[in-house]
Amino acid sequence: MYRFILRRAVSIVFVLFGVSVTTFGMVVFTPGDPAEIVLREQTAQNPSQEAIREFRAEHGLDDPIPVQYLDWMADVLRGDLGQSYYHDTPVTTMIIRRFGDTAELAVAAILVALVISIPAGVISAVHTGELPDHASQLGSLLGVSMPNFWLGYLLIVVFSLYLELFPVSGAGTVRELVLPAVTLGSGIAAIITRLLRSSMLDVLEAEYIGTARSKGLRERIVVYKHAFRNALIPVVTIVGLQFGYLLNGAVIVEIVFQRPGLGTLLIEAIFARDYPIVQGLVLVIAVLFVVSNLLVDVAYRYIDPRIRFDGGTR
């Protein structure tokens, strides 16, 4: 296992290097002078050439592009993601402030998804072709098809405006977290339910399940002890990928419910041409994705000890 983790860590370094080069290149070659754009937004008038020169000199924009990249990477390796053009605040500080709200929403959404999808997927597979199966598949179809922004506004209308059970927007309390978490978790639950149902059906037809039944084991033990655990492998993959996506900021839901988060921070920085935030946040997003994928791969081993990290089973 340790050798596998070491190999993945080396590959992660190359992935992050590629992400940093690509992001920096896209930012540098974006049309428009960031100094002129930022100063115009800050002063609401056309900046003077002297002000532009001072801004460029202050932020190192006059240096050759390779020098700019090497300076930025040197700062990144020291844990410094740069300084925001607009807020004059360290990018690291701004990301840390927003990360808590995004992580809170991501964890809550995954919990909602698992609470809904695991019982629905198992029951649907056990009672395939019956009413619970049809109801589960219909709910999954609605969850997959329904856009997040539409479901979010629907929940606001019903539970905020009419029933007045939850606030329309905000962050910091459990009541303010419920509707965004349900909005995000419902779509993920639909995906996991369909995947778990399919995986459970395959496992329930396996030879060892027939052997367990022939030994006289109760159906509940066969389903939950033998079949369910082996059906979890593809589910863990989806949960890991979806959790990485949620940690990167569910932009639409954050906008609908006016929640601060990494997604809204990235969108604001792109429109404002606040390039240090864009570069730092994209790099952080890449780190979150590759780390979540690594944790998913390691989790396979604990779910099914037969899995080897050389890609086979034993």
Side-chain angles (χ1 to χ4, degrees):
M1 178 188 297
Y2 297 109
R3 187 175 299 174
F4 166 79
I5 294 176
L6 180 60
R7 290 199 305 267
R8 286 296 300 273
V10 172
S11 67
I12 285 173
V13 171
F14 286 101
V15 169
L16 295 179
F17 173 73
V19 170
S20 68
V21 171
T22 303
T23 304
F24 189 86
M26 293 177 64
V27 166
V28 168
F29 293 109
T30 299
D33 185 353
E36 183 177 352
I37 295 171
V38 171
L39 290 173
R40 185 183 297 118
E41 290 292 329
Q42 289 179 338
T43 61
Q45 59 185 1
N46 291 328
S48 64
Q49 291 300 315
E50 182 181 355
I52 293 175
R53 284 194 297 270
E54 290 178 357
F55 185 94
R56 294 181 63 85
E58 179 183 356
H59 294 90
L61 298 177
D62 288 329
D63 297 332
I65 292 176
V67 174
Q68 293 184 43
Y69 174 76
L70 292 175
D71 289 342
W72 176 63
M73 279 305 301
D75 291 337
V76 169
L77 294 176
R78 292 195 297 267
D80 181 7
L81 295 178
Q83 198 88 355
S84 168
Y85 290 161
Y86 278 91
H87 305 283
D88 197 26
T89 303
V91 174
T92 304
T93 301
M94 298 182 68
I95 292 176
I96 291 174
R97 288 175 182 171
R98 298 288 188 101
F99 181 79
D101 292 317
T102 296
E104 179 184 69
L105 178 58
V107 172
I110 288 294
L111 290 177
V112 168
L114 293 177
V115 167
I116 296 173
S117 63
I118 290 179
V122 173
I123 292 173
S124 179
V126 173
H127 300 280
T128 180
E130 301 177 10
L131 180 60
D133 183 29
H134 296 316
S136 174
Q137 292 193 64
L138 177 60
S140 299
L141 180 61
L142 290 174
V144 170
S145 306
M146 192 177 301
N148 280 338
F149 73 88
W150 189 86
L151 177 59
Y153 284 125
L154 180 63
L155 293 177
I156 288 174
V157 170
V158 175
F159 292 99
S160 296
L161 300 182
Y162 284 98
L163 299 180
E164 298 182 354
L165 295 177
F166 302 103
V168 174
S169 61
T173 66
V174 175
R175 294 181 67 247
E176 292 170 333
L177 181 63
V178 171
L179 294 187
V182 171
T183 301
L184 280 177
S186 298
I188 300 172
I191 297 173
I192 297 176
T193 298
R194 294 166 68 91
L195 184 63
L196 181 58
R197 176 185 182 274
S198 176
S199 182
M200 283 287 295
L201 288 176
D202 290 340
V203 172
L204 288 173
E205 293 177 358
E207 184 176 344
Y208 71 90
I209 295 296
T211 302
R213 285 170 172 161
S214 67
K215 291 181 178 179
L217 295 178
R218 289 184 298 177
E219 185 66 14
R220 178 174 298 180
I221 295 178
V222 171
V223 170
Y224 289 98
K225 183 176 180 179
H226 296 281
F228 176 67
R229 181 173 181 175
N230 291 313
L232 278 181
I233 297 295
V235 174
V236 170
T237 303
I238 292 298
V239 170
L241 292 175
Q242 291 294 326
F243 189 68
Y245 158 74
L246 292 174
L247 282 178
N248 299 329
V251 179
I252 295 177
V253 172
E254 288 178 353
I255 291 175
V256 169
F257 291 96
Q258 299 181 28
R259 288 181 58 89
L262 298 182
T264 52
L265 178 61
L266 180 60
I267 295 300
E268 292 167 359
I270 291 174
F271 281 109
R273 302 293 183 94
D274 202 337
Y275 293 149
I277 294 180
V278 176
Q279 294 170 183
L281 193 48
V282 170
L283 190 61
V284 169
I285 287 172
V287 170
L288 293 175
F289 259 117
V290 295
V291 170
S292 63
N293 288 337
L294 175 61
L295 293 177
V296 167
D297 289 340
V298 173
Y300 290 162
R301 174 69 173 174
Y302 293 97
I303 294 174
D304 189 349
R306 298 173 301 169
I307 294 178
R308 298 199 309 265
F309 286 116
D310 58 4
T313 57
R314 64 185 180 191

